[in-house]
Amino acid sequence: MSASLQVTQMQQQHQQQLQHQQRYRHQRHERHEHQEQKQHYESSYYLSSKSSVSKQSFSTSKTASHRSLKTSVKTEKGQEVLKLSPLPKRAKRTYLAMDTDKEVIGYVIPVFRANHDVVRGLMEAHEQDQVTEEGINYVAMRNLFVREAKEAMHVRVEKKTRSTHIRESAERVELSKTMEEWTEFRKKMNPDSLTHRPEFIVKPRGQTVWEGKSVKLHCTVAGWPKPRIAWYKNNVLIDAKSHPEKYTAESNYNMHSLEIKNCDFMDTAQYRASVLNIKGESSFVATVVVKRFQDGEEPGPLDPKPHGYSPEHGVTFNTTILDKFEVAFGNEGETLSLGCTVIIYPTVKKYQPEVVWYRDSVPLKPSKWVHTAWSGERATLTLVHLNKEDEGMYTLRVNTKSGFDTYSAYVFVRDADVEVEGVPVAPLDVRCHDANKDYVVVTWKQPAVEGSSSILGYYIDRCEVGTHHWAQCNDTPVKYARFPVTGLVEGRSYVFRVRALNKAGVSHPSRVSEAVVAMDPSDRARLRAGPSAPWTGMIKFTEEDPTVGVVPGEPSDVVVTEATKSYVVLAWKPPVQRGHEGVMYYIEKCISGTETWQRVNTGMPVKSPRFALFDLAEGQSYSFRVRCCNSAGVGEPSVSTGAITVGDKLDLPSAPGNPVATRNTDTSVVVFWAASKDVVHLAGYYIECSVVGTDVWMPCNNKPVKQTRFVCHGLTTRENYVFRVKAVNAAGYSHSSADSEAVVVQAAISIPGKPTGVKLLEAVKDYMVLGWDAPAKDGGADIRGYFVDYRTVKGDVVGQWHEMNHQALTTTSYKAENLKENVFYQFQVRAMNMAGVSKGSLPSASLECKEWTITVPGAPVGLHVLEVRDTSVVVLWEPPAFNGRSPVNGYYLDLKKASEGWKAGHEKVNKGKYMKVTGLKAGTSYVFRVRAQNLAGVGKPSAVLGPIVAQTHPGTKEIYVDVDDNGVISMIFECSEMAEGSEFIWSKNYKAITDTSRLTIVTEGGKSRAIFNDPSLEDLGIFSCVVTNTDGISSSYTLTEEGLKRLLDISFDHKFPVIPFKNEMAMELLEKGRVRFWTQLEKFTSACEVEYVFNDVIVTQGKKYTMNFDKTTGIIEMFMDSLEVTDEGTFTFNLVDGKAKGTTSLVLIGEEFRELQKKSEFERAEWVRKQGPHFVEYLDFTVTEECDVLLKCKIGNVKPETEITWSKDSIEIAEDDEDAKKIERKDGELTFNIGKISKSDMGIYQVFLRDERGKDKSTFNLTDAGYQAVMNELFRVIANSSSGIQVTSTEHGIILYSNVTYCHEDVRVSWLQKDAKIAASERVKSGVTGEQLWLKINEPTEKDKGKYTMDIFDGKDGVKRVFDLSGQAWEEAFEEFQRLKAAAIAERNRARVVGGLPDVVAIQEGKSLNLTGNVWGEPVPEVSWMKNEKVFVSDDHYQLKFEHGKFASITIAAVTTADSGKYALVVKNKYGTEAGEFTVSVYNPEDEENKEAKG
């Protein structure tokens, strides 16, 4: 066969392959359009994984590797198919996506495409494996397989005979037929035709089952590839393999089931079946409800469950929660721990319960904010760095195999202190929503406290995860609590926080949000899920789609999803026609009323089908539309949204309904309110409280609550509060509701608990006496009575309950009458208070009605306590119902501490039915019992009362006795803890007072007064008062005979009162010699009158007397201008104030009167003197710190013309005198500065004042006593100015000295050694040098050590200065003395040149020089001579001599110029060395003349 025939045959095969490819593409395109119509909205990720965005095609033959223009090829059947025309080989395909304006808008990724027949062998090799469609992740794998397929293709050229050619032609016709049949089969079996997303054929059905049963959920799913299934409970993945005892999951032939075993209440949930393959995901939810057989209300998911038998462990676990955490309060930034002790009984080895913590019924997971711990007995929850998000109801749930137990309490988180007064507190609950490539929507909740002004808006900050840099996202504060943050980098993670702003400033930032990734949800799901499906070993190759290169169509359903004043959010559906590329979008806006469309995102198209627009004018109307774009260009715009007005679509919530506050506990109140009407997207409610009368509102919760009931904790007991509520949503706060009615914070009243201990006290033929114990809880109100029910018992058969008493019993015992003898009865008791009747107690044992034969009395009943104090308590009881054979004649009370034995409370029998037990220890718990006694003996003890803690209730007051102004005696008791229905019950000797003839009870509010009508000995006894509906508030007062007598005396004084005087009558002299008599009253009324009496004669207002009664101060005054001889006698004030009287007198007679008269005359003369110029202070002296003596006086009432004259010894000091310079006048003060005083300054100094109004003089005698007084003051100043004694050393000895400011020659100074006066001697001398006082000790010895005292006379005793010359002080001083002494000796005896040598010697050359120096030193010094710092010795030229140890001489014979130089006579001994230097200058006369001649 020829080579051309072989090539022709291969071309025919290739044409058949192209025909097959064209038909396949046509069918696939139709199927693609059908799917687009069915599902209009797909993510860009789904589109990119579904189709290719590349326009490049690859050839499968080496001969066809070049590219040419697109052509049409006719097949054998005459059908025209399209043949792909490759580009020229040199042309490189660009992968940039451009719009019609040739602007780059993105990029595309090429994906390999090839013919199915080319790689048929590859596909058949893996036909047993599951088929999967790949995404762009498998591009590299495709390229690898295509390369191998290409290398396998080659062109063979063979020579064939005609017969062979004909045979092969026939075979080829048969092969062509076979190929057509195989192609039709592959069309049906093509994976693209079989693969489809999973769908539920049979959906799981919700079921309701009883507790303890099992339930199975079924579903049937279709899909190819075979989908995988996962089961979720409340969106939490169920791991059946980890919990085989609870779950069993099965999958057989696309039929799936989930079995839940032994259902309990916590299995009530929504169960979701989620199925997934490479084509997509589908899910369906079924609800399972678990019910329990129980009468009454259905329990909630956290309600305690009765414990049941656990067959797995063979026991029933009982759970007890102890040491429970209470309602807790914390501040932002603090760490708070909650904990409970959990006891599981019985203990099973290696078994631990499941401990789960909840906040607001949501399970808590450990995080950086939440730490949980379980030690085996203690469950602990630690909240690190509290934030308001942590506020809520916290529940501890302990799960065991027998059930579960829970405990809950609320945790409140207060705001952290603000740095600037008035700024708002931080927002809370920052969350991220709708995260995609282009933006993230951040939401938050407004804080409870806005600060001093309303919140103006919020700032949003972002921070990229892994960094610490916070960037503000908005320049203008946003009012809306929802904001889309743009400008994020795709694929990066961010956290956000929010700050609030008002006029005072910016708040602290909120807690940061959870991290969120800026990418589309489909991309996040792919990253979380990993590969789309498990690797099957097969790669499916798709062919190039004819939609590649098509401009996308227009988007649809463009809507505004959010609109606020700050931004608008658009959303739309992707276009139906978009090719296999990922599309992007341009957004355009148009102002209403115009036709101009403006592109918003000109810089970069968005990738997600939603967009947030900012910078829109508030109140302006806009229309919006969207265009799609890809590499082929920009498509047509979508339909316009229509006019949208920019503004908040979400309205502020309406005000909530009027709140109603009700009592709850002593520190909490329950608040109810009606929900806000027509509110959209409600975030919750904030509750505020205010103490009545303050108008200061405080938040009750810092995290909004959505329910319309809230318990406000942390309130002050007994305070009156009002409450109000405001709603909040993303738009802001509503108006506050109306204020609630005021409510007092105290425990609410409820029905009491059940009585206990119903027992038989006495039995007779036809009646029985019953006793019981009061309920442990009285419901916040006193027990008002009891009701007794009975029923008959015959064997195991009991009858119906019947009431025995229709009127409530006031005691804890009852005589049940009209019973039948020898019949068995059971009894139950119900307690009653003002809130209602309790449930019945446990039935008593079956009691037979027959007569007792006991002789001793029964047990006392009704034990209770009053007046509990730190050291005492009053125990009361009722007599036993059964007295025995004789009446009861007394009682014995026993008591004990909790850990000790019983002891008697008294020795003698107690006749009464009460007893005050004293001598208790504060804070200690005691129990009590009482035994009755008759003639036969002591009966059985009563039921134990207690434990009672000996502790005074806070705020307890005692009864006190008051006597009013009318002499009425009463007892008063006050209570500040009055509850609703509380009453004061007065008793005498602990029996209710029924006789009102002795006492009258008056009660007003929290104060009750018991008034004695006619106090007498009949009223002696113990009076007590009890306040009902309180925690046992009571007190007593014992009125004794002595106390009654004292009260009657006080009453008499009040009935016949005496006006009290604060001060009795007194007298004082005033200016001009006037006399004032006065007194002051302590208590009086405006009706008080005064009568002034002198010597029993009433005096009145006139010239001689002036009276005054100031009723504002109670001061009574009477004035007299002068005292005369006739005024000697008694002055009296008589007062009358209603029925009260008072008298006060003052007697002025004899010497006292005459002395007063003289003083009055003197004062009058002084007044006359002061009418002219006068001395306010007379002339006196003072000594300054500088020891200058000044004579000073103060003058008053002086005019400029007033003459002031100084004189000494009656000689006036003229202005030109030397002493006139010492006179100074300043501010009414005259000063004569004597300076340093001496005896020459002695004399009599006088100052005269005179003008036309009068004259005055002042004299100071500075002689004798006056001079001595000045000197004594001078000595005092000198003495006090002396410094502490200091020590110094000299070569002669030690000197002690002190410095003074000035030393006068007459000052006396004494020195003492060891308290003995030191006598002056040649060795020890004292003296004064300038301002230094000294003591010199020459040649000191050890005897001179000791304490030295310097005594300076200060005018009285003397000022002493002490110095201890011993120890270190002595050693240092003595050592310094020796050093200085040695230095002085050395200085005196050291070798030195004392004279004889000139400084410069000028000598003519040729002459002889002889110089002699005088030398001193002891011992005699050594002598040497130096010339130019070199030693030389005696020789023929130099003759050196040292004679008599004093004279050193040098002789230079016939000096020459060489002898010129610097000479020194050096003397040296052991004390030192000295040199006497001189200069020798030798000159030549001839040379000098020559120099002069030249000059």
Side-chain angles (χ1 to χ4, degrees), residues 251-322:
S251 297
N252 294 314
Y253 305 105
N254 289 334
M255 297 178 63
H256 309 279
S257 65
L258 173 68
E259 182 181 8
I260 307 170
K261 305 172 185 176
N262 192 22
C263 293
D264 58 26
F265 282 113
M266 292 308 294
D267 293 322
T268 299
Q270 288 185 336
Y271 292 84
R272 178 166 60 90
S274 179
V275 289
L276 173 72
N277 66 6
I278 61 173
K279 298 300 290 182
E281 184 265 347
S282 183
S283 62
F284 193 82
V285 175
T287 302
V288 174
V289 178
V290 182
K291 288 191 173 183
R292 174 191 298 167
F293 291 101
Q294 179 179 344
D295 295 333
E297 185 179 353
E298 186 73 18
L302 294 178
D303 290 341
K305 176 182 175 182
H307 293 279
Y309 181 75
S310 174
E312 180 180 351
H313 297 282
V315 296
T316 298
F317 291 102
N318 292 302
T319 304
T320 304
I321 300 178
L322 304 175

Side-chain angles (χ1 to χ4, degrees), residues 25-36:
R25 286 197 299 269
H26 180 67
Q27 293 174 358
R28 183 173 180 184
H29 180 61
E30 291 178 349
R31 183 171 67 254
H32 175 69
E33 291 179 346
H34 175 69
Q35 290 178 352
E36 287 291 335

Side-chain angles (χ1 to χ4, degrees), residues 134-404:
E134 80 292 354
I136 61 176
N137 294 328
Y138 302 119
V139 171
M141 296 290 290
R142 286 179 171 177
N143 293 337
L144 174 63
F145 285 118
V146 170
R147 247 192 340 266
E148 293 176 353
K150 286 184 177 181
E151 292 172 0
M153 297 292 296
H154 64 279
V155 179
R156 294 177 298 169
V157 180
E158 298 179 358
K159 292 183 178 182
K160 297 183 181 179
T161 62
R162 183 174 181 79
S163 60
T164 303
H165 178 68
I166 294 173
R167 186 177 66 252
E168 288 182 353
S169 296
E171 291 175 352
R172 193 161 49 251
V173 172
E174 183 65 24
L175 178 62
S176 177
K177 184 178 181 180
T178 303
M179 287 293 295
E180 289 180 0
E181 294 176 353
W182 179 82
T183 301
E184 292 297 326
F185 174 76
R186 292 300 295 175
K187 285 181 181 180
K188 297 179 181 178
M189 298 304 296
N190 191 352
D192 279 351
S193 300
L194 295 178
T195 56
H196 62 276
R197 63 181 297 169
E199 59 181 341
F200 285 92
I201 306 301
V202 178
K203 298 177 180 178
R205 180 173 59 88
Q207 301 184 46
T208 300
V209 297
W210 293 107
E211 184 183 16
K213 301 294 183 180
S214 297
V215 65
K216 183 176 278 190
L217 303 176
H218 301 271
C219 65
T220 303
V221 181
W224 187 260
K226 182 180 179 180
R228 295 178 296 167
I229 188 168
W231 292 91
Y232 294 84
K233 175 184 177 183
N234 290 337
N235 296 324
V236 179
L237 180 65
I238 296 175
D239 189 355
K241 294 182 179 180
S242 299
H243 301 280
E245 76 285 354
K246 189 65 179 177
Y247 303 103
T248 300
E250 296 180 350
S251 297
N252 294 314
Y253 305 105
N254 289 334
M255 297 178 63
H256 309 279
S257 65
L258 173 68
E259 182 181 8
I260 307 170
K261 305 172 185 176
N262 192 22
C263 293
D264 58 26
F265 282 113
M266 292 308 294
D267 293 322
T268 299
Q270 288 185 336
Y271 292 84
R272 178 166 60 90
S274 179
V275 289
L276 173 72
N277 66 6
I278 61 173
K279 298 300 290 182
E281 184 265 347
S282 183
S283 62
F284 193 82
V285 175
T287 302
V288 174
V289 178
V290 182
K291 288 191 173 183
R292 174 191 298 167
F293 291 101
Q294 179 179 344
D295 295 333
E297 185 179 353
E298 186 73 18
L302 294 178
D303 290 341
K305 176 182 175 182
H307 293 279
Y309 181 75
S310 174
E312 180 180 351
H313 297 282
V315 296
T316 298
F317 291 102
N318 292 302
T319 304
T320 304
I321 300 178
L322 304 175
D323 299 335
K324 302 174 182 178
F325 58 92
E326 301 293 338
V327 173
F329 294 86
N331 294 325
E332 281 189 306
E334 297 177 347
T335 297
L336 179 67
S337 292
L338 309 176
C340 290
T341 300
V342 180
I343 298 176
I344 308 296
Y345 181 81
T347 303
V348 177
K349 189 175 182 181
K350 294 184 179 180
Y351 173 75
Q352 290 292 333
E354 181 186 16
V355 178
V356 185
W357 288 89
Y358 295 80
R359 177 169 60 226
D360 297 331
S361 301
V362 177
L364 293 176
K365 297 180 180 179
S367 66
K368 67 177 182 178
W369 309 115
V370 178
H371 299 167
T372 60
W374 167 247
S375 65
E377 291 185 355
R378 183 78 178 172
T380 306
L381 171 70
T382 302
L383 303 174
V384 180
H385 198 282
L386 281 175
N387 278 87
K388 289 175 286 191
E389 289 86 345
D390 297 320
E391 183 171 295
M393 180 68 73
Y394 283 78
T395 301
L396 168 66
R397 172 177 166 137
V398 183
N399 298 322
T400 65
K401 295 297 183 179
S402 297
F404 64 86

Side-chain angles (χ1 to χ4, degrees), residues 9 164 292 343 359 393 414 427 448 514 566 578 996 1152 1254 1280 1327 1338:
Q9 184 179 6
T164 303
R292 174 191 298 167
I343 298 176
R359 177 169 60 226
M393 180 68 73
R414 298 188 179 98
E514 295 294 333
S566 305
R578 51 184 165 175
T996 58
E1152 183 179 358
N1280 290 324
N1338 294 328

Side-chain angles (χ1 to χ4, degrees), residues 96 329 436 444 649 715 794 803 836 875 973 1027 1119 1348 1400:
L96 296 178
F329 294 86
N436 54 70
W444 61 91
K649 282 190 173 183
L715 306 179
K794 295 181 180 179
E803 292 184 358
V875 182
F973 185 47
V1027 183
F1119 298 92
Y1348 285 82
V1400 178

Side-chain angles (χ1 to χ4, degrees), residues 818-857:
N818 301 322
L819 303 179
K820 296 180 180 180
E821 188 176 4
N822 299 324
V823 175
F824 285 89
Y825 294 90
Q826 285 185 342
F827 301 90
Q828 71 173 14
V829 184
R830 291 172 291 132
M832 179 191 72
N833 65 3
M834 64 184 301
V837 180
S838 73
K839 295 181 179 180
S841 66
L842 293 176
S844 67
S846 297
L847 305 174
E848 184 180 4
C849 184
K850 64 179 181 180
E851 187 171 1
W852 281 2
T853 58
I854 303 174
T855 59
V856 296

